[in-house]
Structures are given as structure tokens and as C-alpha cells.
Amino acid sequence: MMDKERCRRCRIGWLVGCLLLLVGCTTELAYNTLPFWSHYYLDDIIHLTPTQSRHVKADLDAIQQWHRTHELPRLAEQLGLLAAQSTEHQTWDQLRDHQTAFKARLQATLNEMVPATTRLLQSLDDRQAERLTQFLKEEIEDAQARRDEESPQSWLSDQEEELEERTERWVGHTQDSQMPFYVEMAEYQQRAMPTFIKVREQLQARLFGLIENRQQDDLDTQLYQWVDDLVAWRGGKGTQTDMAIYRSRRLDWLLRLDKSLNDDQRLHLMEELQEWESRLQEMAEQK
């Protein structure tokens, strides 16, 4: 029974990754088959009725077509701008504007999903809503349990490695002189973790409340606000100052990391950005 549950959660975890692919688009195959797999795994959680299934399929297809037509060209354009500016050191304003632009694309995609999400939530009976809520709670508890099993030093080491790997995907090999950057950010993220957790818990509680009170007339309005706060990672009054400080320090860190790039790394970054610009343009033209 436990193995079956693990397999189910693994499949759903992949779905979460797929939803992010709607913005990131790591492969053409994943992008093109995303509506099919999203429907499949959603049905695995909720047990959709035939009517719900038809509506979900139609909504997912429509969202993907909208994303292909409207968002992929904008993402490609933004990557092209970033590549053009990466020939030299980025300025603080440029980095801030790029971050704002990519967050805007993410929010536009999530906003496009709100009407379909509203229709689905309001079509759920109590048993389906309970399944969805229970699944989300179990996923959260499992993630927390995995974090609790890891020592602070082990988490720090893993985070440093992840930061390095993410950077190397774009700029190639890391120089020894750049290693302190990963240590610095990992340590700062560790110190900021209580704030991250507080924001996450606030957003989770609101989401569970929306599922429970899904028949409210203004559900779509509340979902739009929730998406806005999710993208901004915005919690209550007790977190706003700490999150503002974190964002400022993260931007400063990115600025210094950008200035540390040598000519080979900068060329590698430009080529990667240009390649992704071309790939997204090609995907946008597919029918």
C-alpha cells in the first residue's frame, strides 16, 4: 500500500513539474503533451466525472493554445533582450527589470488558468474537494518530513551544490573564485527560511480556505489575488519587511555574480539565451 502511495505521489510531483514547464518549456515534447498528462494526473487525484473530464480537457487545450500564441513569443523576446544586454555587465536596473518581466509572464500564465480553476473547484462535490485537500496536505507533510530529516549542514551543502549547478547550466564551468557566491547565498537562504516557511503556510491556509468555500460568488477574484500573492511570495504583515530585504540582497548577489563572469562564461550565457530564444520562437509557430 505504501509503495502504491509513493508511486502516486511521484506521479503527481511530476505534474507539478509539468505545470512549471508551461512557463519554462524545457522540452518540446513535454510542452506539447502537457494538457494530456495534466488531465491524467488531475483525474488520479480527484476522480473526475465524465462531464468534469470533458471541461478540464477543453480548458487545458485552450490554455496551452493561448500560451503558445501569446506567451512563448513574449518569453522569447525577453530572452533575446537579456542575451543582447549580457554582452557587458548588467546594471542593477536591468537585472531588476528582467526579474519583473519574467515574473509578469509567470503571473499572466497563472491568471489565464484562474477561470478554468474556478469552474473546476465549483464543480467539485464534497468528497472530491476532500481528496484534493488531503492530497495537498500529504504532499506538504512529506516535503516537511524530508526537510526535517536533513541536518542544517547537509541542507546547506545541498543548496550550495544546487546553486552551482543552476549557474553552470547557463554559464558553463564555475571558477574557483566564484565558489564563495554559492556559499554566501545558501547561508542567507538558510537564515531566511523561517520567513519563507511563514509565507508558505499563509498561502497554503488561504488555498485550503478557497477550496472549502469554493461556492462563493467572488471565488475567481480571490483566486486572482492569491495568484498575485503567490508570484510575489507575499505573506502577511509579519513577513513583508524580511522578504523585501531578501529580494534586495538576492538582486545584489546576482549583480555581483554577473560581474564575476569571465569572457568564456559570458559567451556561453549569450549562446544559451539565444538558443532558447530560437527554440521558443519555433515552438510558438507550431500548430
Side-chain angles (χ1 to χ4, degrees), residues 45-46 121 124 128-136 211:
I45 302 171
I46 301 175
L121 288 180
L124 300 182
Q128 289 174 314
E130 184 179 352
R131 286 195 189 104
L132 177 59
T133 300
Q134 185 61 31
F135 164 76
L136 293 173
I211 295 173

Side-chain angles (χ1 to χ4, degrees), residues 83-109:
Q85 293 181 349
S86 293
T87 56
E88 300 178 353
H89 298 324
Q90 295 276 336
T91 67
W92 177 282
D93 287 340
Q94 286 173 332
L95 282 177
R96 182 195 56 200
D97 290 346
H98 288 309
Q99 285 190 337
T100 300
F102 284 115
K103 286 175 69 174
R105 302 278 54 80
L106 172 60
Q107 183 158 355
T109 298

Side-chain angles (χ1 to χ4, degrees), residues 79-272:
L79 289 175
L81 176 60
L82 182 56
Q85 293 181 349
S86 293
T87 56
E88 300 178 353
H89 298 324
Q90 295 276 336
T91 67
W92 177 282
D93 287 340
Q94 286 173 332
L95 282 177
R96 182 195 56 200
D97 290 346
H98 288 309
Q99 285 190 337
T100 300
F102 284 115
K103 286 175 69 174
R105 302 278 54 80
L106 172 60
Q107 183 158 355
T109 298
L110 295 178
N111 280 343
E112 186 69 15
M113 298 171 69
V114 165
T117 302
T118 299
R119 284 191 292 272
L120 175 61
L121 288 180
Q122 293 187 330
S123 76
L124 300 182
D125 60 30
D126 290 343
R127 190 174 181 182
Q128 289 174 314
E130 184 179 352
R131 286 195 189 104
L132 177 59
T133 300
Q134 185 61 31
F135 164 76
L136 293 173
K137 288 183 176 179
E138 289 176 357
E139 289 293 297
I140 294 165
E141 290 171 359
D142 286 350
Q144 185 62 54
R146 288 193 296 271
R147 282 193 294 269
D148 292 343
E149 291 173 356
E150 195 171 20
S151 69
Q153 188 55 46
S154 177
W155 184 93
L156 198 63
S157 178
D158 289 345
Q159 192 67 8
E160 290 172 17
E161 183 177 344
E162 183 177 347
L163 286 166
E164 181 180 3
E165 288 177 352
R166 287 181 180 179
T167 304
E168 288 186 336
R169 289 183 196 134
W170 292 100
V171 304
H173 294 297
T174 293
Q175 305 296 308
D176 290 343
S177 60
Q178 293 167 326
M179 294 302 295
F181 282 105
Y182 312 124
V183 176
E184 173 191 347
M185 180 51 67
E187 289 178 344
Y188 186 56
Q189 288 176 335
Q190 188 177 58
R191 292 195 299 272
M193 189 56 65
T195 300
F196 298 159
I197 292 174
K198 188 180 295 185
V199 174
R200 185 200 68 201
E201 289 175 344
Q202 292 169 345
L203 289 169
Q204 289 167 355
R206 286 172 56 193
L207 178 60
F208 294 147
L210 291 174
I211 295 173
E212 182 178 1
N213 301 295
R214 58 194 178 279
Q215 298 305 337
Q216 296 180 89
D217 292 338
D218 64 342
L219 178 62
D220 56 345
T221 300
Q222 294 188 59
L223 280 171
Y224 281 121
Q225 183 59 59
W226 186 83
V227 165
D228 185 65
D229 292 337
L230 175 67
V231 173
W233 203 246
R234 185 186 300 117
K237 294 181 179 178
T239 64
Q240 292 177 358
T241 299
D242 288 342
M243 285 304 304
I245 294 172
Y246 171 75
R247 293 188 188 97
S248 179
R249 291 192 62 172
R250 182 182 61 186
L251 193 60
D252 174 72
W253 179 83
L254 286 170
L255 186 66
R256 289 184 286 114
L257 179 62
D258 177 74
K259 289 181 177 179
S260 78
L261 300 181
N262 60 34
D263 291 343
D264 289 339
Q265 289 174 321
R266 195 165 295 282
L267 178 60
H268 193 283
L269 173 61
M270 292 166 50
E271 291 175 344
E272 284 292 315

Side-chain angles (χ1 to χ4, degrees), residues 16-66:
V16 175
C18 277
L19 292 176
L20 294 178
L21 291 180
L22 193 58
V23 180
C25 318
T26 58
T27 66
E28 288 83 348
L29 178 61
Y31 185 85
N32 292 334
T33 60
L34 180 54
F36 170 81
W37 290 111
S38 298
H39 171 271
Y40 178 83
Y41 293 128
L42 186 59
D43 186 33
D44 191 45
I45 302 171
I46 301 175
H47 300 171
L48 298 169
T49 67
T51 299
Q52 288 171 331
S53 181
R54 288 195 300 272
H55 290 164
V56 167
K57 286 180 178 178
D59 283 337
L60 288 171
D61 286 341
I63 290 169
Q64 187 193 48
Q65 186 55 46
W66 168 86

